[in-house]
Amino acid sequence: MSDLIELQKKYVLDILDKIETAHNIKFLVIDSVVEHIFGYLFKDPHELLSHVTSVDKIDSRNRKGQQGMDVIYMVQQSKFNMNCMNADFAAGGSKYKSAFIRFLPSPDSHLVQYFNDLRYLPQYLNDVSEVKIGFVPREAQFFQTINIDKPLQIFYNQHCNDLIEKNLKRTVESLLNICIITGEYPIIRYSKANESQLKTTPAAKLAEKLAFLFQHYLDTYTREHVDFPPESNRPRAVMIITDRTLDPFSLFLHDFSYQAMAYDVAPGIDFRTDMYHYKAENELGEMEDKESKLTDLFDPDWVELRHQHIVDSNDYLGGKIKEMIAKNPLLVDRSKVKNTSDLLSVVAHLKDFDEERRRMILHKTLIEECLTINQSRTLAELADTEQTLASFGIDANGQKTKHITDMFLEMLLSRKANETDKVRYIIIYALYRGGIVETDFIKLLSYAGITQEHERFNDFLTTFKNFNQLAYTLVKNKPHDKPFNREWFHDSVVKDPTVYNTSRFIPASGNIISKIIANPLLLSEDAFPYVKDKPIELLDEDDRKMFDISARAQSSTSLRNQRHKASWTTTTNITRVEEKRQRFFYYSIGGITHSEIKAAYDQSRLKNKDVFIGSDSVLTPLATMTSIEYITKPRDFLQLNDDTKEDDTVPDYLMADLKPVAKPVSHIQYHSKNEPMGPTNTQPVVHQKATEPEQKEKKKSKLSRFLKRDKK
């Protein structure tokens, strides 16, 4: 099974290894964006320091430089970073001998000229190029596009229409990145909106626009790199591009898998950083504040537990703790274990096993928090009706449920369900009905205890109305208006005793991936057209003849060359090599939920394929409700990063005249998390003079060639 974390790490390290510096001494300077990416790639600092001499933040006070040595900058393209690099070589003494620059892709073409006009840096420029790092691998099979802030606003708020193209280019770089690290030139299909959706909102065309833009960028990259895609006997990959309008049910259903539930209900989790803040007992019996990162690199137990149902994860962890205690009877007082709640206290006082003990305390704390919230809000008790609504009235036995509206009203009367839970139930019911009139929404809110005098009443009503920005007219004008017209792609499990009633829902992502793996014909071509390269066995007779004529006329310089035959072609006179697992990519514009991410893992396991899922953000139900509420707000209210003027002022401490600095040190500490990065133990070296004029011109010429890249 391919692992995005390992693949992206290899790509980054290969970039660094290919840079040739004097004595192979490499001083790496990064910014906060690259630091964030590295946080998901390198658990052990020595893993990176075996490839570079030191790692510094570009704006670190501790960064002293090495005047006789080369520096490698791996940063995003911003005026601030460019000014900091320029300051490193300003008059009065340069920090380094010369610079290798590896820029992350940027949609801002004006930065090219800004960079070209820098006063000092071009004189010391050794080499500059763009590296296709466009995503952070949040998990082994989930990737997130970098630098897209509040994607639901950017792509669906009509006040942000002029930001769509810029952020689609960021998305393209993310998709290109994953193709490069996997060596895939995929068949691309996309979710096509119907006329009704297009009339409701122009954003319904986003997936189609991205699909064609990505195909153009992928073809351009392939023409410019003769070694891409590499030879492989792996069946050709497939990429499905969708957007957030495809599956609204996934946004609001209560999901009872461990990861989805924890990110939904546990207040201590920051879903943007994957950091969990909690209190736990230490060895002295005192409660203290702790934090842990819920990521693949730092927590193998999290990887094992996260997609299990919350009940199963609790049982699994409890069994693991008991096994650990049983294997180490001399290290604990087992007489204290009278119930499952005592396990936490016993583990806290368990001597040795510090890292394993820490993870067990973490997950036992988080799971119990989820179970306590579930019980207090009766989430599981109400989930069966919730699942039936999402199945359009079909229950776990596959039977049409009578009196579904009465069952729904009982949910709203629950004294334990909180207000946001009830609003989520109302949204699910309105989706089930295909929209209801505003007066009915008002009645349902009142039924749930949210009257017009309630401080959030207008906010909730605005949320219902704003669904038209996501191509759903949830609030109908008249009672007899037809329900909104759309095809649904999610599914539900029925008559399966191995599946919890609270987990019958199959997100559209899982259903679509399942169909495309089983047989491409199962996925309607009307709903999911091909951008190009439709498999030949799926063509009708006339289309096949045209394909044969086109193939014979194709020149030897064609983009699709013989070493990259489609997986459906057959040969009889060549010995077949054992094929590798086919890869499938699924990307959602506007965000992805944890239930949809889990569905990708499920299909990968069930179908024995490599399935990767990506988006520009992770969505939780409460954050989504807020985003939809704000989706008609003006730009100045949203405070988007793209609208925030960049502070490009170089810190004073970087502008100070340089003092003599150190000889190279081969072992420099790499500070992880939020600690500053920087070298230590520096010693003086002699300042390096500037290069000769003709050398300056040569380096400027190299820069100019790089800067003439495609600005489209």
Side-chain angles (χ1 to χ4, degrees):
M1 172 66 197
S2 300
D3 182 328
L4 289 183
I5 297 172
E6 291 301 320
L7 289 172
Q8 187 77 313
K9 180 195 300 181
K10 181 180 183 302
Y11 180 62
V12 169
L13 293 179
D14 285 348
I15 291 169
L16 296 173
D17 289 344
K18 288 177 182 177
I19 299 174
E20 297 181 1
T21 61
H23 310 295
N24 202 34
I25 295 174
K26 300 178 180 181
F27 295 96
L28 177 62
V29 176
I30 63 176
D31 62 4
S32 57
V33 174
V34 175
E35 181 185 36
H36 176 66
I37 295 171
F38 282 8
Y40 287 88
L41 299 181
F42 303 104
K43 177 182 179 182
D44 184 353
H46 297 289
E47 197 171 6
L48 181 56
L49 290 174
S50 62
H51 295 261
V52 297
T53 307
S54 68
V55 182
D56 284 294
K57 285 286 294 296
I58 195 166
D59 57 352
S60 171
R61 288 179 176 272
N62 298 324
R63 184 166 67 88
K64 303 301 182 183
Q66 296 288 347
Q67 289 180 323
M69 297 296 162
D70 299 320
V71 61
I72 302 171
Y73 296 100
M74 184 176 286
V75 295
Q76 67 175 344
Q77 300 179 49
S78 70
K79 290 183 180 180
F80 177 77
N81 285 339
M82 293 175 184
N83 290 341
C84 287
M85 290 187 289
N86 194 54
D88 286 347
F89 297 93
S94 64
K95 279 189 173 73
Y96 307 98
K97 176 183 177 182
S98 63
F100 295 84
I101 300 176
R102 297 297 178 263
F103 276 131
L104 274 58
S106 172
D108 297 317
S109 58
H110 70 277
L111 292 173
V112 173
Q113 188 59 47
Y114 187 88
F115 185 77
N116 199 28
D117 291 339
L118 292 175
R119 181 177 180 184
Y120 302 107
L121 182 59
Q123 304 172 32
Y124 297 87
L125 188 60
N126 195 314
D127 180 51
V128 59
S129 63
E130 187 177 78
V131 291
K132 298 298 184 180
I133 300 175
F135 72 79
V136 54
R138 293 280 292 269
E139 297 180 10
Q141 293 175 243
F142 167 55
F143 63 99
Q144 182 176 335
T145 302
I146 61 175
N147 291 331
I148 299 185
D149 175 43
K150 303 181 180 70
L152 275 178
Q153 304 300 331
I154 285 174
F155 291 120
Y156 298 100
N157 187 322
Q158 295 187 20
H159 296 293
C160 302
N161 284 348
D162 61 322
L163 294 177
I164 290 178
E165 183 176 357
K166 179 178 184 178
N167 285 278
L168 283 181
K169 287 182 179 179
R170 287 176 172 141
T171 307
V172 164
E173 294 293 352
S174 172
L175 299 179
L176 189 56
N177 184 182
I178 200 168
C179 289
I180 292 170
I181 67 172
T182 58
E184 296 286 0
Y185 180 90
I187 298 169
I188 302 171
R189 299 180 70 174
Y190 62 92
S191 56
K192 186 176 180 64
N194 60 34
E195 291 300 320
S196 175
Q197 291 171 291
L198 290 172
K199 288 179 181 178
T200 305
T201 173
K205 205 175 179 66
L206 277 171
E208 180 176 354
K209 187 171 183 178
L210 174 60
F212 280 89
L213 184 64
F214 172 56
Q215 184 75 70
H216 168 71
Y217 271 69
L218 181 61
D219 289 349
T220 300
Y221 183 87
T222 304
R223 280 190 292 268
E224 294 175 351
H225 296 78
V226 294
D227 57 343
F228 179 85
E231 291 187 27
S232 174
N233 66 324
R234 189 189 299 272
R236 190 175 176 192
V238 178
M239 178 173 288
I240 303 293
I241 295 177
T242 69
D243 72 282
R244 195 55 265 171
T245 67
L246 189 72
D247 184 3
F249 281 103
S250 291
L251 295 170
F252 301 104
L253 281 173
H254 289 85
D255 190 295
F256 291 85
S257 59
Y258 176 29
Q259 182 185 37
M261 189 174 192
Y263 276 73
D264 184 0
V265 304
I269 293 182
D270 185 340
F271 66 93
R272 297 176 183 85
T273 62
D274 296 314
M275 194 69 73
Y276 176 46
H277 302 272
Y278 60 105
K279 291 183 179 294
E281 184 180 357
N282 60 24
E283 293 184 9
L284 300 177
E286 303 167 338
M287 298 300 292
E288 62 181 15
D289 294 329
K290 294 182 177 293
E291 64 176 28
S292 295
K293 201 164 188 179
L294 302 172
T295 61
D296 294 36
L297 283 182
F298 294 95
D299 197 334
D301 290 329
W302 172 247
V303 175
E304 182 70 29
L305 292 166
R306 64 187 171 198
H307 294 148
Q308 296 184 33
H309 191 281
I310 190 70
V311 173
D312 294 336
S313 64
N314 187 48
D315 293 343
Y316 179 90
L317 186 64
K320 194 170 183 178
I321 293 174
K322 290 177 181 178
E323 180 182 7
M324 183 180 181
I325 293 173
K327 287 182 177 180
N328 302 277
L330 301 179
L331 300 179
V332 297
D333 182 0
R334 288 184 293 172
S335 64
K336 293 183 179 180
V337 184
K338 296 182 173 58
N339 53 55
T340 56
S341 298
D342 294 332
L343 290 176
L344 269 179
S345 179
V346 172
V347 173
H349 293 274
L350 182 65
K351 295 180 175 60
D352 300 323
F353 308 101
D354 288 345
E355 179 58 24
E356 187 175 4
R357 181 182 62 173
R358 180 195 66 81
R359 296 199 305 267
M360 289 185 178
I361 293 173
L362 154 67
H363 291 295
K364 191 64 179 173
T365 301
L366 182 53
I367 289 172
E368 288 193 351
E369 183 178 11
C370 290
L371 291 173
T372 300
I373 292 172
N374 167 68
Q375 184 176 11
S376 66
R377 289 159 54 180
T378 61
L379 298 178
E381 294 177 25
L382 301 175
D384 188 52
T385 302
E386 192 178 15
Q387 296 274 315
T388 302
L389 286 169
S391 303
F392 298 103
I394 304 299
D395 64 16
N397 297 317
Q399 302 297 318
K400 189 71 176 179
T401 303
K402 297 180 180 179
H403 312 300
I404 185 67
T405 298
D406 292 338
M407 295 168 61
F408 161 67
L409 293 176
E410 289 180 11
M411 298 170 74
L412 299 186
L413 287 175
S414 171
R415 294 184 177 181
K416 292 187 176 181
N418 65 25
E419 291 176 350
T420 53
D421 287 332
K422 293 181 180 181
V423 172
R424 288 165 68 174
Y425 297 147
I426 293 173
I427 291 172
I428 293 167
Y429 178 74
L431 289 169
Y432 156 77
R433 289 283 303 273
I436 57 180
V437 294
E438 183 175 342
T439 54
D440 284 345
F441 275 111
I442 294 173
K443 291 176 183 177
L444 292 175
L445 285 172
S446 178
Y447 209 71
I450 305 171
T451 64
Q452 296 189 41
E453 290 72 32
H454 192 283
E455 61 180 359
R456 295 294 314 280
F457 174 84
N458 289 326
D459 296 336
F460 293 141
L461 204 58
T462 298
T463 301
F464 301 143
K465 293 177 179 178
N466 284 352
F467 266 81
N468 65 332
Q469 303 299 317
L470 297 176
Y472 294 91
T473 308
L474 215 58
V475 182
K476 298 195 298 186
N477 292 324
K478 299 176 183 178
H480 298 294
D481 287 348
K482 292 182 179 180
F484 45 75
N485 177 27
R486 78 147 303 134
E487 182 179 357
W488 299 99
F489 294 95
H490 66 271
D491 206 345
S492 184
V493 177
V494 296
K495 299 180 180 179
D496 190 340
T498 66
V499 175
Y500 287 92
N501 280 359
T502 55
S503 302
R504 293 185 284 119
F505 178 79
I506 301 174
S509 62
N511 195 29
I512 291 167
I513 294 169
S514 176
K515 288 181 177 180
I516 197 69
I517 292 176
N519 187 338
L521 291 173
L522 294 176
L523 198 59
S524 163
E525 192 173 340
D526 291 334
F528 287 88
Y530 294 86
V531 175
K532 68 173 190 177
D533 295 343
K534 181 179 178 180
I536 188 172
E537 78 275 14
L538 301 182
L539 300 173
D540 58 33
E541 186 174 351
D542 291 337
D543 287 339
R544 288 191 189 192
K545 290 179 180 178
M546 292 299 296
F547 178 88
D548 291 339
I549 294 171
S550 174
R552 286 194 296 270
Q554 200 172 37
S555 72
S556 61
T557 58
S558 169
L559 178 66
R560 297 286 313 285
N561 56 48
Q562 290 300 310
R563 64 184 171 82
H564 195 178
K565 286 186 176 181
S567 63
W568 51 84
T569 59
T570 59
T571 55
T572 57
N573 58 346
I574 299 177
T575 304
R576 289 182 62 84
V577 180
E578 183 181 355
E579 291 187 339
K580 299 178 182 178
R581 285 162 52 131
Q582 189 176 10
R583 291 178 173 132
F584 293 84
F585 306 108
Y586 183 99
Y587 191 87
S588 173
I589 304 169
I592 203 83
T593 66
H594 287 101
S595 63
E596 292 167 313
I597 295 172
K598 175 182 178 295
Y601 282 87
D602 289 343
Q603 291 304 314
S604 183
R605 174 177 49 81
L606 292 170
K607 303 294 197 305
N608 194 33
K609 304 293 184 181
D610 288 358
V611 180
F612 304 110
I613 190 165
S615 188
D616 37 48
S617 65
V618 178
L619 298 174
T620 63
L622 296 185
T624 302
M625 287 174 63
T626 302
S627 293
I628 295 176
E629 178 191 339
Y630 293 166
I631 213 165
T632 52
K633 295 283 188 182
R635 284 271 283 273
D636 56 353
F637 176 86
L638 301 175
Q639 297 183 340
L640 300 171
N641 288 345
D642 282 338
D643 289 335
T644 303
K645 181 175 174 57
E646 179 187 359
D647 183 3
D648 56 8
T649 305
V650 177
D652 292 339
Y653 53 82
L654 293 182
M655 295 295 293
D657 289 340
L658 296 177
K659 298 178 180 179
V661 291
K663 291 181 179 180
V665 179
S666 60
H667 299 286
I668 306 297
Q669 184 178 1
Y670 175 94
H671 298 274
S672 61
K673 297 184 180 179
N674 296 321
E675 297 176 6
M677 296 179 173
T680 57
N681 303 325
T682 56
Q683 296 178 2
V685 295
V686 179
H687 172 59
Q688 178 74 24
K689 291 184 178 180
T691 56
E692 296 299 323
E694 60 270 19
Q695 292 176 310
K696 298 179 184 178
E697 291 302 319
K698 184 178 179 181
K699 291 177 181 178
K700 286 185 178 179
S701 177
K702 289 182 181 180
L703 175 62
S704 299
R705 287 197 297 272
F706 166 68
L707 295 176
K708 289 179 180 179
R709 67 182 188 275
D710 184 10
K711 299 181 183 179
K712 295 180 181 180

